[in-house]
């Protein structure tokens, strides 16, 4: 909700934060509310892009080579295995976006132009994955998270009922924690830079700084992926 509001509250036609007087603030707020009736909230293209991006990250999670670690001992005395190939997935994803997108006739500025639709599609996908995770917790023998079996279905849905929701080798929590969102964050920033270059003919120093420092943050998280996942033990 915050993402959608900020996108509507400050854009090319209106900026609520730029209003300097109470009267101007009311006028700007009315303009923001007026946009909600005419804005395109979703598109099939955005849904396809978000779905394909998430699926690609899941495939990379399962299929790329890299160290494999084991998690803590669970209540049933087993350990789950986790591939630590996020750093490789990071570079392969960026290389694919930068080099393959032009070959497919795409442009990174499309991300900026369809930001609102991409946000809506992402929220829809998150809701769908949460529903799948919640429903999977009712399978016989599924381990439940501490506090996730309160008996209140609304609370349990949002807190997370299954301990480790998985589809085969794909661990939904481990994959979605760092891969689609964080790497996608870098791609979104690149889309903003591409749009600025397309519009003004140059990329500003603040835009370069945002891309560089936030990319460093994401790279660090994925390079040190094993450190960000607590209580894992290397498997030789």
């Amino acid at each position: 909700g915050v993402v959608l509001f900020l996108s509507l509250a400050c854009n090319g036609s209106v900026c609520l934060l730029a209003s300097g007087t109470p009267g101007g603030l009311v006028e700007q707020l009315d303009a923001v509310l007026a946009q909600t009736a005419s804005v395109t909230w979703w598109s099939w293209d955005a849904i396809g892009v978000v779905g394909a991006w998430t699926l690609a990250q899941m495939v990379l999670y399962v299929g790329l080579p890299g160290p494999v670690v084991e998690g803590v001992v669970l209540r049933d005395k087993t350990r789950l295995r986790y591939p630590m190939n996020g750093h490789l997935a990071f570079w392969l994803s960026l290389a694919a976006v930068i080099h393959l997108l032009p070959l497919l006739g795409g442009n990174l500025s499309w991300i900026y132009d369809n930001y609102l639709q991409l946000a809506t599609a992402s929220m829809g996908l998150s809701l769908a994955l949460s529903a799948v995770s919640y429903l999977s917790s009712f399978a016989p023998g599924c381990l439940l998270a501490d506090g996730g079996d309160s008996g209140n279905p609304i609370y349990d849905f949002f807190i997370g009922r299954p301990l480790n929701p998985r589809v085969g080798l794909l661990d939904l929590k481990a994959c979605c924690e760092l891969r689609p969102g964080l790497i996608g964050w870098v791609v979104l920033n690149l889309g903003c830079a591409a749009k600025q270059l397309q519009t003004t003919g140059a990329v500003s120093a603040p835009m370069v700084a945002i891309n560089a420092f936030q990319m460093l943050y994401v790279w660090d998280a994925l390079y040190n992926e094993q450190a960000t996942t607590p209580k894992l033990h290397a498997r030789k």
Side-chain angles (χ1 to χ4, degrees), residues 53-77:
W53 173 259
T54 305
L55 179 61
Q57 295 305 319
M58 290 178 174
V59 170
L60 293 177
Y61 174 88
V62 173
L64 285 180
V68 175
V69 299
E70 292 184 334
V72 297
V73 178
L74 303 176
R75 292 193 297 272
D76 61 0
K77 307 304 180 184

Side-chain angles (χ1 to χ4, degrees), residues 80-154:
L80 296 177
R81 301 177 68 194
Y82 299 88
M84 296 287 106
N85 52 29
H87 187 231
L88 180 57
F90 171 78
W91 289 114
L92 286 178
S93 298
L94 292 188
V97 168
I98 293 171
H99 296 290
L100 293 182
L101 189 60
L103 296 178
L104 298 175
N107 190 299
L108 276 171
S109 63
W110 181 91
I111 297 172
Y112 179 91
D113 294 332
N114 293 268
Y115 180 84
L116 191 63
Q117 295 89 337
L118 290 171
T120 304
S122 297
M123 286 186 280
L125 178 62
S126 298
L127 181 61
L129 287 176
S130 298
V132 169
S133 175
Y134 178 76
L135 293 175
S136 71
S137 68
F138 293 96
C142 178
L143 291 178
L144 302 182
D146 292 336
D149 190 24
S150 68
N152 184 323
I154 297 177

Side-chain angles (χ1 to χ4, degrees), residues 171-232:
D171 189 289
L172 292 177
K173 286 199 292 187
C175 176
C176 293
E177 181 180 10
L178 294 178
R179 313 297 184 91
L182 279 188
I183 302 175
W185 179 12
V186 174
V187 176
L188 285 172
N189 284 346
L190 292 174
C192 292
K195 183 64 176 182
Q196 187 181 62
L197 178 63
Q198 182 186 77
T199 304
T200 67
V203 179
S204 67
M207 181 66 75
V208 171
I210 287 172
N211 272 267
F213 288 117
Q214 293 183 358
M215 182 182 292
L216 176 63
Y217 175 87
V218 174
W219 169 85
D220 178 73
L222 292 166
Y223 182 77
N224 298 290
E225 184 177 19
Q226 187 167 337
T228 64
T229 308
K231 300 181 180 178
L232 295 178

Side-chain angles (χ1 to χ4, degrees), residues 149-169:
D149 190 24
S150 68
N152 184 323
I154 297 177
Y155 176 85
D156 292 345
F157 178 84
F158 282 96
I159 201 68
R161 193 169 188 269
L163 181 61
N164 296 292
R166 288 194 160 209
V167 179
L169 298 175

